Amino acid sequence: MQKIFIALALALITLSCTSTDKTQVQFILDWKAQMEHAGFFVAKQKGFYEQEGLEIEILEGSGAPTSARVVGNGTYKLGVASGSATVMARVRNIPIVSLAVINQQTPVVVYSLVEKNITTPQDLIGKSIGVNIGGTKHREFQAFLRHQNIPEEDIQLMGMSEASPAPLLAGQVDAMLGYTEDQPVTVELQGHAVNRLALSDYGIDVYSTNIIANESFLKENPDLVKRFLRASLRGWQHAVDHPEDAVAAYMAARPESDEAFNRANFKYLIPLLQSADTQQQGLGAQTEAKWQQTQDILHSLDMIDQKVDLNLLFTTKFMPE
C-alpha cells in the first residue's frame, strides 16, 4: 500500500512539473533588433508568451529575404519578414505563410531639410536624391515616380548608402530615401526640421513587416502558432497603448541603444501599424486585396516574374478572436 502511495505521489509530482514546462521556440527577426520589433520584446518582458506556455528566444536576423529562406527551409519555424520578401519567397516555392502584418504600409519616405521646400512629388523634379541604386527603396521609388507620371530622368539620382543622413546634412544632395522612423529622426534629433514625402501617401501602398511561419510547422502545430500569435499581437497592442513600456522593454534587451532616438523612432512607427483594416480587425490585420496590391506592384517593378496563389501566401485563421 505504501509503495502504491509513493508511486501515485511521484506521478503527481511528475505531472505538476510537466504542466509548468514551457515550449521553447526560436523566433528570428528580419534584421538587428530595433524599435520596430518592440512589440515582441514587450510580449516577452510582460510574460505574455509565458502565459501562453511558451518560452520564446528572439534572435537577430540579417535581412527579410534571409529570414524568409531560413524559416522556409525549417532552420527556424517562426520569424519576421516583409511583404515583398514573403511574396518573392513564395514565387520561388519557399514554403512560408504570413500570419499577420505588423507594418501596414511601407515606411519608405523621401526626406529633406525644410529649407529645400520639397513638399510635393513635383518638387522633386530637377533635384538630387541620394539612393542605393537597385535597392528595395529605389525600386519602390521608381514605382512612386511612375505613379506620379514623373520621368526618372527628370530626377538626379545619386548612388550612395542610405544608412546615414550625412550626405544630406553635408549638402551633397537635396533629399534622400529612408525609413520615416529612422534616418529622418536622426536629422531631427540634431536640431533640423525635416519634410517627408511618404510613398504610401502616393499610391505605393504595400505591406511591410510581417510575421511568418514555416508551412509544415503551421500545419503540424496549429495550437502553438495560435498561442504565439495571440501573445505577440497582445505585446504589440500594449506597445501602442503604452509607448513608454515599448521603449523600456526594448532597452532592457538592448541597453546600449539611444533612449531619445528610441522614443522618437516609435512615435513615427505607430502610424505604420495602423490602417482601416486594423480598425476593423485589430493589429496584425491582412487582407486579400492588400496582398494582391502588394504583389501587383512588385510585378510591375519586375521584382517577381509571376504572381502567386494568395491562399498559399497568407492566412488569417490564427488571428485572435
Side-chain angles (χ1 to χ4, degrees):
M1 184 70 178
Q2 186 177 10
K3 290 182 178 179
I4 294 174
F5 176 79
I6 293 173
L8 287 172
L10 288 172
L12 287 172
I13 291 171
T14 301
L15 180 61
S16 175
C17 291
T18 302
S19 66
T20 58
D21 284 346
K22 303 293 186 294
T23 303
Q24 296 183 347
V25 179
Q26 291 183 319
F27 174 59
I28 187 165
L29 303 177
D30 55 332
W31 194 244
K32 306 301 180 185
Q34 302 176 57
M35 279 301 297
E36 68 178 76
H37 306 118
F40 303 118
F41 288 101
V42 169
K44 187 175 177 69
Q45 187 187 68
K46 294 293 183 182
F48 299 159
Y49 290 127
E50 186 176 6
Q51 291 168 24
E52 295 287 355
L54 302 172
E55 183 177 329
I56 301 297
E57 181 182 6
I58 301 175
L59 304 174
E60 293 188 327
S62 56
T66 301
S67 292
R69 177 174 55 80
V70 295
V71 170
N73 68 23
T75 302
Y76 302 101
K77 312 305 182 185
L78 297 163
V80 175
S82 67
S84 59
T86 302
V87 172
M88 289 189 286
R90 288 291 343 191
V91 167
R92 296 194 297 272
N93 295 315
I94 295 175
I96 59 171
V97 180
S98 178
L99 302 176
V101 173
I102 303 302
N103 284 16
Q104 293 285 304
Q105 55 254 344
T106 177
V108 177
V109 296
V110 184
Y111 67 100
S112 58
L113 300 178
V114 292
E115 50 264 35
K116 293 294 183 179
N117 199 33
I118 299 174
T119 59
T120 71
Q122 296 300 317
D123 294 331
L124 294 171
I125 295 175
K127 299 295 194 301
S128 57
I129 313 295
V131 55
N132 175 24
I133 302 295
T136 301
K137 296 189 197 72
H138 178 212
R139 304 300 289 275
E140 291 189 15
F141 182 62
Q142 288 177 313
F144 162 82
L145 292 177
R146 290 181 194 174
H147 197 270
Q148 296 301 310
N149 296 314
I150 299 175
E152 190 167 345
E153 54 268 26
D154 288 356
I155 309 291
Q156 185 183 358
L157 296 181
M158 306 287 287
M160 60 184 61
S161 169
E162 300 157 344
S164 168
L168 180 80
L169 294 172
Q172 297 173 10
V173 291
D174 296 313
M176 291 188 71
L177 297 186
Y179 293 134
T180 188
E181 79 283 10
D182 194 342
Q183 296 85 4
V185 169
T186 297
V187 176
E188 290 169 331
L189 289 175
Q190 293 184 33
H192 303 280
V194 172
N195 283 332
R196 291 170 170 83
L197 291 178
L199 270 57
S200 60
D201 289 341
Y202 295 95
I204 312 307
D205 193 16
V206 297
Y207 279 146
S208 186
T209 307
N210 63 329
I211 302 174
I212 59 172
N214 175 276
E215 188 173 58
S216 295
F217 181 78
L218 187 62
K219 293 176 180 177
E220 295 166 3
N221 301 274
D223 181 65
L224 185 155
V225 171
K226 191 163 189 174
R227 287 183 284 129
F228 168 78
L229 189 59
R230 181 164 54 222
S232 296
L233 294 180
R234 185 181 172 193
W236 274 108
Q237 187 62 63
H238 186 96
V240 170
D241 294 340
H242 305 280
E244 68 281 2
D245 286 354
V247 173
Y250 173 69
M251 292 199 68
R254 297 293 180 271
E256 73 282 359
S257 63
D258 183 87
E259 183 173 356
F261 177 83
N262 292 338
R263 290 184 182 281
N265 174 287
F266 201 65
K267 181 184 75 172
Y268 282 103
L269 183 65
I270 289 176
L272 300 178
L273 312 178
Q274 300 167 330
S275 67
D277 294 329
T278 65
Q279 293 299 316
Q280 295 180 348
Q281 304 173 31
L283 292 182
Q286 48 182 351
T287 66
E288 181 175 329
K290 184 67 173 282
W291 273 116
Q292 185 62 57
Q293 181 170 297
T294 296
Q295 72 166 341
D296 285 347
I297 290 175
L298 295 177
H299 191 264
S300 73
L301 293 171
D302 296 323
M303 294 175 71
I304 55 174
D305 58 7
Q306 59 181 305
K307 297 181 183 179
V308 298
D309 182 349
L310 296 179
N311 292 318
L312 299 176
L313 186 65
F314 81 104
T315 180
T316 59
K317 73 176 186 178
F318 297 94
M319 289 288 286
E321 297 175 357

